[in-house]
Amino acid sequence: MWKYLKRVLIGKPLKTNDTGSQSLNIFKALALLSSDALSSVAYGTEMITTALLAGGAAALWFQLPIAALVLVLLGAIALSYVMIIHAYPSGGGAYAVASQNWGHWVGLVAGGSLLVDYMLTVAVSAASATDAISSAIPEVHHFALFLSVVIVILLMLMNLRGLRESANFLMVPVYFFILAMFVMLAVGFVRLGLGQIVYHAPTLAEKISPTMSVGFLLFMKAFSSGSSSLTGVEAISNSVPNFNKPKEHNAAKTLIILVAILGLFFGSITFFSFFLGIVPNGQTTVMAQIADAIFGRNGIGFYIFQLATALILTVAANTGFSAFPMLAFNMANDKFMPHLFKDKGDRLGYSNGIVSLSVGAIVLLLVFKGRVEALIPLYAVGVFVPFTLSQSGMIIHWWRQRGSYWVFKAFVNFVGAMISFVLVISMFGLHFAGVWPYLILMPVLLRFFHGVHYHYVSIAKQLKLTPAKARVHRHDYDGAMVIVFMGNVTRVTVSAMDYARSIGDEVIGMHVSFDTNIKKERETAKEFEKYFPGIRYVDIHSSYRSVIQPSREFIDSMSKQATKRNWSLTIMVPQFVPKHWWQNAMHNQTAFRLRNAFISRDDITISSYYYHLRD
């Protein structure tokens, strides 16, 4: 039943040789990896204007220089990540750059920040989509958190079906939004040229507030808020291995296309927001007010644009589903994440990464109760810390490598690094109430990464075989002792004893008895002697109904004897296996507890003997 359900939800397994068929061309990659960045256009300008309103409505003029500064940062980041794609084509993005140029501690800060940020991407997107749904259908407002979780699960299932199918699905909402934005901006600029849209900002500003008091802190607060529009740009550099060959060329081209579209949209939306004198009102978004002014509230264009905006917000989470598994794979390759993140699922995707991302996003939704405004500050700082580390790391990279135009390249990275660093400082200084969890979460993640790394390094050191170690650890035993745990004498016991005699020079049947029924225990001993004459039978009495402790004491004494005789000691635990898996719940787990009690011992070997029931 489970296999059938899995096939319906995820699809039939793909062969390993089909990996190439899951690679992405530029058209599909743009749909798969741009949704997060493009969706930020819907709220980037609004966050700038909302912050500036603290200085009076006349302060909204500053959204133009702030937007220009954001576009400068976008350009620097874009050039930097194009360089990163060519310099580090295996993926990893900021993690790879920071690790190789600053060292693994700094690289882990970048990697950990991005892992959490991708979870926040999914959580923010799901919560935003739920807000859009509840705005249209107020009756579902009480189920908003539940709906957010359902959206995450649906996106998880879609991504488990593989890259190609995810991209095919996402092409509709992503390109629908791009087309709708181009149409709205084209109509807006044409109407502006014809004089049908007039300049409203001064009049509206004067009506609201004739004063203007914008300080540096307010400017930086608005700039740091608006820079959230740059989230998602780094995802392409983490996903280079998913592209068609030549991978670096196609990834770089996709990034350039994305940045060009994002820059055009963000700059144009900010311009119209200022020109039309639009002010956030808590009921209608800035984007909706611009669409209203261009198309008219009753025009079909307005409703089509609103639908496109809602769709892009809904699927924005998918960027995280594409980038998180690749980043986790690269960190697992370096032994800083569990190796299960290197395993590919039935559809040739890193399914463990996809599922882990979904679980993390759901936890964040539950912790922050699905509130977008509570998630976004942490979301932004999780992006700009890796931005700062990767771009400053690239300066070191160019200094070491030199090559053509390396001074110009380093300068571009320097500009991006400085602006990103200022934004990080601003985030902690001006939005501390929203970003303080980062200061707790990052040390915990770093401890986790190093714990994983130490574990793998320690195992490799212990397991590595050299000729010298092979000679030292070689052990030729003079004999073999096998102790068979047993309850009643059954077919399972008979089969297990037969097998034990085939591998052991001395076989012992061990039974633990309680006070409750002495007569039955004596009958068990007689039955054992009847079926296994000449084999030693040991009945250990337990006054406290414990099987583990008396067994451990007996095994300790037999281990000493085996060591003196230079014999190996094997503990065999027989167990019958029901025909149906669910029937296991109707039987006690003594066999499991016995195996678990001795699993840490290095002086004995634990063997399981399974007897399969047919009916």
XYZ file of all heavy atoms in Angstrom, residues 21-114:
671
model
N 18.875 13.504 -17.680
C 17.542 13.956 -18.091
C 16.937 14.922 -17.089
O 15.952 15.592 -17.382
C 16.613 12.744 -18.263
O 16.345 12.129 -17.014
N 17.504 14.982 -15.872
C 16.988 15.886 -14.849
C 17.711 17.235 -14.861
O 17.370 18.125 -14.075
C 17.135 15.245 -13.467
C 16.255 14.030 -13.250
C 14.773 14.379 -13.262
O 14.292 15.149 -12.452
N 14.057 13.819 -14.225
N 18.702 17.400 -15.718
C 19.392 18.679 -15.806
C 18.479 19.734 -16.416
O 17.539 19.431 -17.147
C 20.666 18.535 -16.657
O 21.556 17.628 -16.047
N 18.778 20.994 -16.113
C 17.885 22.090 -16.484
C 18.495 22.974 -17.556
O 19.690 23.296 -17.513
C 17.594 22.949 -15.243
C 16.961 22.236 -14.042
C 16.973 23.160 -12.842
C 15.555 21.776 -14.371
N 17.670 23.378 -18.516
C 18.095 24.420 -19.438
C 17.815 25.777 -18.801
O 17.227 25.874 -17.725
C 17.400 24.278 -20.801
C 15.880 24.292 -20.676
O 15.326 24.986 -19.817
N 15.205 23.538 -21.532
N 18.230 26.841 -19.474
C 18.101 28.178 -18.893
C 16.643 28.529 -18.654
O 16.289 29.102 -17.613
C 18.766 29.216 -19.833
C 20.282 28.981 -19.877
C 18.459 30.627 -19.370
C 21.014 29.864 -20.859
N 15.779 28.170 -19.590
C 14.358 28.523 -19.501
C 13.723 27.901 -18.255
O 13.007 28.568 -17.502
C 13.644 28.039 -20.767
C 12.239 28.528 -20.903
C 11.980 29.869 -21.162
C 11.170 27.651 -20.787
C 10.679 30.326 -21.298
C 9.870 28.097 -20.914
C 9.622 29.437 -21.172
N 14.007 26.617 -18.014
C 13.427 25.942 -16.852
C 14.137 26.336 -15.556
O 13.497 26.446 -14.497
C 13.478 24.424 -17.046
C 12.520 23.916 -18.116
C 12.456 22.404 -18.143
C 11.411 21.921 -19.141
N 11.287 20.440 -19.168
N 15.449 26.538 -15.634
C 16.194 26.917 -14.435
C 15.732 28.271 -13.912
O 15.637 28.489 -12.698
C 17.689 26.954 -14.741
N 15.425 29.186 -14.832
C 14.945 30.500 -14.410
C 13.631 30.365 -13.644
O 13.415 31.030 -12.629
C 14.759 31.402 -15.629
C 14.400 32.863 -15.327
C 15.512 33.531 -14.534
C 14.127 33.626 -16.624
N 12.772 29.474 -14.116
C 11.498 29.249 -13.421
C 11.723 28.608 -12.060
O 11.075 28.978 -11.075
C 10.594 28.362 -14.280
N 12.660 27.672 -11.991
C 12.876 26.918 -10.753
C 13.606 27.734 -9.691
O 13.323 27.602 -8.493
C 13.675 25.649 -11.062
C 13.774 24.608 -9.954
C 12.414 23.982 -9.686
C 14.778 23.523 -10.323
N 14.534 28.599 -10.113
C 15.436 29.249 -9.160
C 15.192 30.745 -8.967
O 15.914 31.382 -8.193
C 16.885 29.040 -9.612
C 17.347 27.580 -9.699
C 18.698 27.490 -10.382
C 17.409 26.949 -8.316
N 14.220 31.308 -9.648
C 14.026 32.759 -9.565
C 12.809 33.166 -8.762
O 12.606 34.352 -8.503
C 13.898 33.343 -10.980
O 12.671 32.930 -11.582
N 11.974 32.219 -8.368
C 10.691 32.579 -7.754
C 10.876 33.389 -6.470
O 10.131 34.339 -6.212
C 9.870 31.322 -7.482
O 10.600 30.392 -6.701
N 11.874 33.042 -5.658
C 12.092 33.773 -4.409
C 12.505 35.209 -4.693
O 11.945 36.162 -4.118
C 13.159 33.052 -3.586
C 13.453 33.768 -2.274
O 12.558 34.474 -1.787
O 14.575 33.622 -1.746
N 13.483 35.388 -5.584
C 13.959 36.741 -5.890
C 12.858 37.589 -6.524
O 12.654 38.748 -6.157
C 15.172 36.664 -6.821
N 12.123 37.023 -7.469
C 11.075 37.790 -8.152
C 9.930 38.139 -7.207
O 9.339 39.221 -7.306
C 10.545 36.998 -9.354
C 11.515 36.827 -10.519
C 10.894 35.948 -11.599
C 11.898 38.178 -11.109
N 9.611 37.233 -6.300
C 8.501 37.506 -5.382
C 8.820 38.664 -4.449
O 7.907 39.346 -3.961
C 8.175 36.258 -4.565
O 9.217 35.974 -3.645
N 10.116 38.901 -4.189
C 10.477 39.982 -3.271
C 10.123 41.348 -3.840
O 10.038 42.334 -3.091
C 11.973 39.920 -2.943
O 12.759 40.110 -4.102
N 9.914 41.440 -5.158
C 9.467 42.694 -5.762
C 8.128 43.114 -5.167
O 7.821 44.303 -5.038
C 9.343 42.535 -7.296
C 8.735 43.781 -7.927
C 10.707 42.262 -7.903
N 7.329 42.124 -4.759
C 5.995 42.407 -4.252
C 6.016 43.113 -2.900
O 5.028 43.750 -2.533
C 5.185 41.108 -4.154
N 7.132 42.985 -2.153
C 7.145 43.624 -0.832
C 8.389 44.466 -0.568
O 8.457 45.165 0.449
C 7.007 42.574 0.279
C 7.997 41.433 0.226
C 9.302 41.595 0.653
C 7.624 40.189 -0.262
C 10.213 40.555 0.608
C 8.523 39.144 -0.316
C 9.813 39.321 0.121
O 10.714 38.286 0.066
N 9.385 44.454 -1.466
C 10.613 45.212 -1.241
C 10.377 46.706 -1.137
O 10.791 47.361 -0.167
N 9.698 47.279 -2.122
C 9.409 48.714 -2.110
C 8.518 49.083 -0.935
O 8.700 50.128 -0.292
C 8.735 49.119 -3.433
O 9.620 48.835 -4.525
C 8.401 50.604 -3.439
N 7.551 48.226 -0.639
C 6.639 48.501 0.475
C 7.387 48.573 1.800
O 7.060 49.407 2.670
C 5.560 47.432 0.536
C 4.542 47.668 1.615
C 3.233 46.957 1.355
O 3.113 46.260 0.316
O 2.321 47.096 2.173
N 8.413 47.746 1.976
C 9.173 47.779 3.214
C 9.983 49.069 3.331
O 10.173 49.601 4.422
C 10.081 46.549 3.304
C 9.320 45.237 3.380
S 10.348 43.822 3.786
C 10.714 44.138 5.505
N 10.456 49.595 2.196
C 11.172 50.871 2.208
C 10.233 51.994 2.622
O 10.534 52.790 3.515
C 11.782 51.166 0.821
C 12.880 50.153 0.483
C 12.347 52.588 0.786
C 13.446 50.319 -0.911
N 9.080 52.075 1.967
C 8.140 53.159 2.245
C 7.585 53.070 3.670
O 7.387 54.093 4.326
C 6.984 53.133 1.237
O 6.382 51.833 1.242
C 7.484 53.428 -0.174
N 7.354 51.866 4.148
C 6.854 51.700 5.511
C 7.861 52.227 6.529
O 7.492 52.907 7.500
C 6.563 50.214 5.798
O 5.589 49.732 4.866
C 6.035 50.028 7.206
N 9.148 51.937 6.299
C 10.182 52.435 7.211
C 10.321 53.948 7.131
O 10.489 54.629 8.150
C 11.514 51.759 6.885
N 10.212 54.519 5.924
C 10.393 55.960 5.745
C 9.250 56.770 6.334
O 9.435 57.940 6.691
C 10.546 56.291 4.259
C 11.872 55.880 3.608
C 11.832 56.149 2.110
C 13.042 56.621 4.243
N 8.079 56.183 6.460
C 6.930 56.911 6.991
C 7.166 57.391 8.418
O 6.488 58.314 8.887
C 5.680 56.033 6.940
C 4.923 56.014 5.605
C 3.750 55.075 5.682
C 4.474 57.417 5.224
N 8.119 56.774 9.106
C 8.432 57.224 10.467
C 8.972 58.643 10.462
O 8.908 59.342 11.481
C 9.447 56.278 11.110
N 9.493 59.115 9.331
C 9.998 60.475 9.216
C 9.023 61.416 8.548
O 9.409 62.515 8.143
N 7.787 60.990 8.381
C 6.803 61.822 7.695
C 6.659 61.399 6.258
O 7.591 60.870 5.639
N 5.488 61.636 5.685
C 5.220 61.185 4.320
C 6.134 61.851 3.301
O 6.446 61.269 2.267
C 3.759 61.451 3.962
N 6.581 63.092 3.612
C 7.489 63.764 2.681
C 8.808 63.029 2.553
O 9.526 63.180 1.561
C 7.730 65.204 3.138
N 9.141 62.214 3.557
C 10.386 61.454 3.524
C 10.361 60.354 2.482
O 11.400 59.740 2.200
C 10.666 60.853 4.903
N 9.198 60.091 1.904
C 9.103 59.038 0.885
C 9.966 59.351 -0.339
O 10.244 58.457 -1.139
C 7.637 58.850 0.460
C 6.701 58.291 1.536
C 5.274 58.212 1.016
C 7.176 56.920 1.979
N 10.395 60.617 -0.483
C 11.287 60.949 -1.593
C 12.560 60.123 -1.541
O 13.155 59.814 -2.571
C 11.640 62.440 -1.528
C 12.558 62.863 -2.641
C 12.212 63.269 -3.886
C 14.002 62.878 -2.601
N 13.325 63.541 -4.628
C 14.440 63.305 -3.872
C 14.932 62.563 -1.626
C 15.793 63.438 -4.180
C 16.282 62.685 -1.926
C 16.699 63.128 -3.194
N 12.967 59.737 -0.317
C 14.228 59.023 -0.159
C 14.170 57.587 -0.685
O 15.195 56.910 -0.736
C 14.650 59.008 1.312
C 15.304 60.283 1.750
C 14.534 61.333 2.224
C 16.672 60.450 1.658
C 15.136 62.518 2.621
C 17.274 61.623 2.054
C 16.498 62.669 2.533
N 12.971 57.136 -1.068
C 12.921 55.784 -1.623
C 13.650 55.702 -2.957
O 14.129 54.625 -3.332
C 11.471 55.314 -1.784
C 10.615 56.119 -2.732
C 9.156 55.690 -2.678
O 8.811 54.582 -3.076
N 8.299 56.568 -2.181
N 13.794 56.843 -3.668
C 14.530 56.820 -4.941
C 16.031 56.607 -4.733
O 16.607 55.706 -5.354
C 14.255 58.107 -5.724
C 12.815 58.292 -6.208
C 12.699 59.580 -7.029
C 12.373 57.098 -7.047
N 16.721 57.391 -3.905
C 18.145 57.087 -3.691
C 18.368 55.742 -3.015
O 19.371 55.072 -3.287
C 18.633 58.252 -2.807
C 17.405 58.852 -2.228
C 16.329 58.652 -3.236
N 17.429 55.353 -2.137
C 17.570 54.034 -1.507
C 17.452 52.943 -2.555
O 18.234 51.977 -2.568
C 16.506 53.857 -0.401
C 16.849 54.730 0.799
C 16.420 52.394 0.024
C 15.788 54.740 1.875
N 16.480 53.067 -3.472
C 16.319 52.082 -4.549
C 17.564 52.044 -5.421
O 18.013 50.964 -5.848
C 15.087 52.398 -5.384
N 18.149 53.220 -5.706
C 19.373 53.265 -6.511
C 20.506 52.536 -5.809
O 21.278 51.791 -6.439
C 19.758 54.719 -6.780
N 20.604 52.725 -4.486
C 21.645 52.039 -3.723
C 21.415 50.531 -3.710
O 22.370 49.742 -3.808
C 21.662 52.584 -2.294
C 22.879 52.228 -1.432
C 24.173 52.652 -2.111
C 22.757 52.881 -0.059
N 20.154 50.115 -3.606
C 19.832 48.687 -3.660
C 20.225 48.109 -5.017
O 20.772 46.991 -5.100
C 18.328 48.458 -3.395
C 17.945 47.009 -3.694
C 17.978 48.797 -1.961
N 19.999 48.868 -6.099
C 20.361 48.394 -7.442
C 21.876 48.307 -7.605
O 22.382 47.406 -8.288
C 19.752 49.316 -8.504
C 18.223 49.263 -8.618
C 17.725 50.287 -9.628
C 17.760 47.865 -9.024
N 22.604 49.238 -6.980
C 24.079 49.150 -7.006
C 24.532 47.874 -6.308
O 25.397 47.139 -6.811
C 24.702 50.386 -6.327
C 26.208 50.182 -6.125
C 24.456 51.627 -7.167
N 23.928 47.613 -5.149
C 24.267 46.383 -4.424
C 23.888 45.158 -5.244
O 24.646 44.168 -5.289
C 23.542 46.363 -3.077
C 23.753 45.114 -2.209
C 25.226 44.905 -1.905
C 22.952 45.225 -0.914
N 22.743 45.202 -5.892
C 22.317 44.092 -6.742
C 23.322 43.839 -7.855
O 23.679 42.681 -8.137
C 20.939 44.380 -7.327
C 20.394 43.359 -8.336
C 20.219 41.989 -7.689
C 19.064 43.838 -8.927
N 23.800 44.914 -8.485
C 24.792 44.760 -9.544
C 26.081 44.148 -9.032
O 26.663 43.259 -9.674
N 26.547 44.630 -7.883
C 27.783 44.093 -7.310
C 27.624 42.627 -6.941
O 28.514 41.800 -7.185
C 28.169 44.912 -6.080
N 26.474 42.290 -6.344
C 26.224 40.897 -5.973
C 26.143 40.017 -7.210
O 26.675 38.900 -7.237
C 24.920 40.807 -5.149
C 25.139 41.416 -3.764
C 24.456 39.360 -5.019
C 23.878 41.513 -2.942
N 25.479 40.523 -8.255
C 25.337 39.740 -9.486
C 26.699 39.440 -10.103
O 27.009 38.291 -10.453
C 24.459 40.483 -10.480
N 27.549 40.484 -10.238
C 28.878 40.272 -10.803
C 29.690 39.320 -9.935
O 30.414 38.463 -10.442
C 29.603 41.624 -10.930
C 29.110 42.552 -12.045
C 29.811 43.896 -11.963
C 29.339 41.922 -13.419
N 29.547 39.476 -8.624
C 30.290 38.614 -7.716
C 29.878 37.157 -7.876
O 30.732 36.259 -7.942
C 30.053 39.068 -6.272
O 30.715 38.213 -5.370
N 28.573 36.903 -7.957
C 28.121 35.517 -8.052
C 28.379 34.916 -9.439
O 28.528 33.695 -9.556
C 26.650 35.408 -7.666
C 26.481 35.263 -6.165
C 25.980 36.301 -5.396
C 26.869 34.095 -5.516
C 25.855 36.182 -4.023
C 26.746 33.960 -4.147
C 26.243 35.007 -3.403
O 26.141 34.881 -2.049
N 28.450 35.739 -10.471
C 28.882 35.223 -11.775
C 30.330 34.740 -11.672
O 30.689 33.674 -12.192
C 28.747 36.312 -12.863
C 29.486 35.895 -14.136
C 27.280 36.565 -13.181
N 31.156 35.519 -10.978
C 32.540 35.106 -10.757
C 32.598 33.832 -9.917
O 33.408 32.931 -10.181
C 33.312 36.228 -10.047
C 33.399 37.529 -10.815
S 34.134 38.830 -9.768
C 33.763 40.304 -10.727
N 31.760 33.757 -8.891
C 31.741 32.577 -8.031
C 31.331 31.334 -8.816
O 31.891 30.243 -8.630
C 30.777 32.809 -6.834
C 31.373 33.835 -5.875
C 30.486 31.500 -6.098
C 30.433 34.269 -4.771
N 30.359 31.485 -9.702
C 29.896 30.350 -10.509
C 31.046 29.772 -11.334
O 31.225 28.554 -11.427
C 28.735 30.786 -11.422
C 27.459 30.964 -10.587
C 28.494 29.760 -12.535
C 26.328 31.620 -11.344
N 31.847 30.659 -11.929
C 32.971 30.187 -12.758
C 34.135 29.690 -11.904
O 34.848 28.758 -12.301
C 33.441 31.305 -13.689
C 32.488 31.597 -14.813
N 32.320 30.750 -15.887
C 31.634 32.626 -15.018
C 31.420 31.240 -16.717
N 30.983 32.387 -16.218
N 34.334 30.313 -10.740
C 35.459 29.915 -9.890
C 35.159 28.663 -9.074
O 36.062 27.879 -8.772
C 35.827 31.067 -8.949
N 33.862 28.447 -8.735
C 33.459 27.297 -7.906
C 32.250 26.610 -8.548
O 31.128 26.702 -8.049
C 33.120 27.753 -6.484
C 34.266 28.440 -5.789
C 34.430 29.825 -5.867
C 35.205 27.707 -5.073
C 35.491 30.457 -5.233
C 36.274 28.327 -4.439
C 36.418 29.707 -4.533
O 37.468 30.319 -3.907
N 32.471 25.943 -9.684
C 31.355 25.355 -10.440
C 30.704 24.143 -9.785
O 29.672 23.679 -10.263
C 32.020 24.953 -11.768
C 33.451 24.722 -11.425
C 33.768 25.719 -10.349
N 31.291 23.620 -8.718
C 30.688 22.450 -8.065
C 29.506 22.824 -7.190
O 28.870 21.959 -6.596
C 31.738 21.728 -7.210
O 32.231 22.585 -6.195
N 29.183 24.120 -7.107
C 28.089 24.566 -6.246
C 28.625 24.932 -4.880
O 29.826 24.961 -4.629
N 27.736 25.233 -3.974
C 28.158 25.618 -2.632
C 28.116 27.106 -2.411
O 27.968 27.570 -1.283
N 28.274 27.907 -3.486
C 28.130 29.354 -3.394
C 28.960 29.970 -2.292
O 30.168 29.780 -2.187
N 28.289 30.744 -1.443
C 28.968 31.476 -0.376
C 29.717 30.538 0.560
O 30.802 30.874 1.061
C 27.948 32.304 0.407
N 29.163 29.353 0.815
C 29.835 28.384 1.700
C 31.193 27.982 1.131
O 32.200 27.963 1.847
C 28.946 27.159 1.886
C 29.682 25.962 2.424
C 30.117 25.925 3.741
C 29.955 24.857 1.608
C 30.821 24.829 4.242
C 30.644 23.772 2.093
C 31.080 23.751 3.410
O 31.770 22.672 3.887
N 31.226 27.650 -0.159
C 32.484 27.218 -0.775
C 33.508 28.339 -0.806
O 34.691 28.131 -0.498
C 32.216 26.707 -2.195
N 33.063 29.551 -1.151
C 33.983 30.685 -1.244
C 34.565 31.017 0.126
O 35.784 31.176 0.284
C 33.252 31.915 -1.822
C 34.191 33.120 -1.827
C 32.763 31.632 -3.232
N 33.688 31.135 1.122
C 34.154 31.495 2.459
C 35.061 30.416 3.045
O 36.055 30.714 3.713
C 32.958 31.743 3.375
N 34.732 29.147 2.807
C 35.530 28.048 3.360
C 36.942 28.050 2.792
O 37.924 27.887 3.534
C 34.854 26.704 3.064
O 33.621 26.598 3.723
N 37.070 28.224 1.484
C 38.374 28.127 0.842
C 39.236 29.369 1.041
O 40.453 29.300 0.936
C 38.204 27.830 -0.644
C 37.616 26.463 -0.914
C 37.729 26.054 -2.377
O 38.583 26.536 -3.108
N 36.856 25.158 -2.808
N 38.604 30.510 1.310
C 39.372 31.744 1.416
C 39.483 32.284 2.837
O 40.492 32.901 3.184
C 38.750 32.816 0.513
C 38.839 32.447 -0.960
O 39.907 32.461 -1.543
N 37.708 32.106 -1.555
N 38.486 32.046 3.668
C 38.525 32.509 5.045
C 38.808 31.380 6.028
O 39.193 31.631 7.166
C 37.198 33.161 5.433
C 36.991 34.546 4.918
C 36.045 34.963 4.032
C 37.740 35.718 5.269
N 36.147 36.315 3.796
C 37.188 36.802 4.544
C 38.825 35.955 6.104
C 37.677 38.098 4.644
C 39.318 37.256 6.199
C 38.749 38.308 5.482
N 38.567 30.139 5.612
C 38.723 29.012 6.513
C 37.387 28.380 6.831
O 36.327 28.968 6.604
N 37.422 27.157 7.364
C 36.180 26.405 7.494
C 35.241 26.986 8.540
O 34.029 26.857 8.434
C 36.477 24.931 7.808
C 36.928 24.675 9.204
N 38.256 24.719 9.575
C 36.231 24.377 10.337
C 38.365 24.437 10.863
N 37.155 24.237 11.360
N 35.774 27.683 9.570
C 34.891 28.294 10.574
C 33.986 29.338 9.928
O 32.767 29.350 10.137
C 35.720 28.942 11.684
C 36.076 28.019 12.796
C 37.293 27.422 13.003
C 35.238 27.575 13.863
N 37.253 26.631 14.122
C 36.005 26.704 14.678
C 33.909 27.810 14.206
C 35.489 26.088 15.811
C 33.390 27.200 15.343
C 34.174 26.356 16.128
N 34.575 30.215 9.137
C 33.799 31.263 8.457
C 32.881 30.639 7.411
O 31.733 31.062 7.236
C 34.746 32.295 7.812
C 33.954 33.354 7.050
C 35.610 32.955 8.876
N 33.393 29.615 6.728
C 32.557 28.930 5.736
C 31.325 28.311 6.369
O 30.230 28.330 5.780
N 31.486 27.778 7.571
C 30.340 27.176 8.255
C 29.331 28.228 8.691
O 28.127 27.963 8.721
C 30.822 26.373 9.462
C 31.606 25.105 9.136
C 32.128 24.451 10.411
C 30.749 24.124 8.351
N 29.802 29.429 9.025
C 28.865 30.515 9.335
C 28.032 30.852 8.102
O 26.805 31.010 8.179
C 29.627 31.767 9.832
C 28.676 32.957 9.955
C 30.293 31.486 11.163
N 28.707 30.930 6.934
C 27.983 31.209 5.689
C 27.026 30.077 5.348
O 25.859 30.307 5.004
C 28.977 31.423 4.545
N 27.510 28.835 5.444
C 26.665 27.690 5.120
C 25.493 27.549 6.062
O 24.349 27.318 5.635
N 25.755 27.703 7.377
C 24.675 27.604 8.347
C 23.639 28.696 8.165
O 22.428 28.457 8.291
N 24.109 29.924 7.859
C 23.182 31.031 7.619
C 22.262 30.724 6.449
O 21.052 30.970 6.516
C 23.968 32.317 7.347
O 24.749 32.692 8.459
N 22.839 30.188 5.378
C 22.031 29.903 4.195
C 21.071 28.739 4.423
O 19.929 28.756 3.932
C 22.939 29.607 2.996
C 23.610 30.831 2.368
C 24.612 30.406 1.308
C 22.572 31.764 1.755
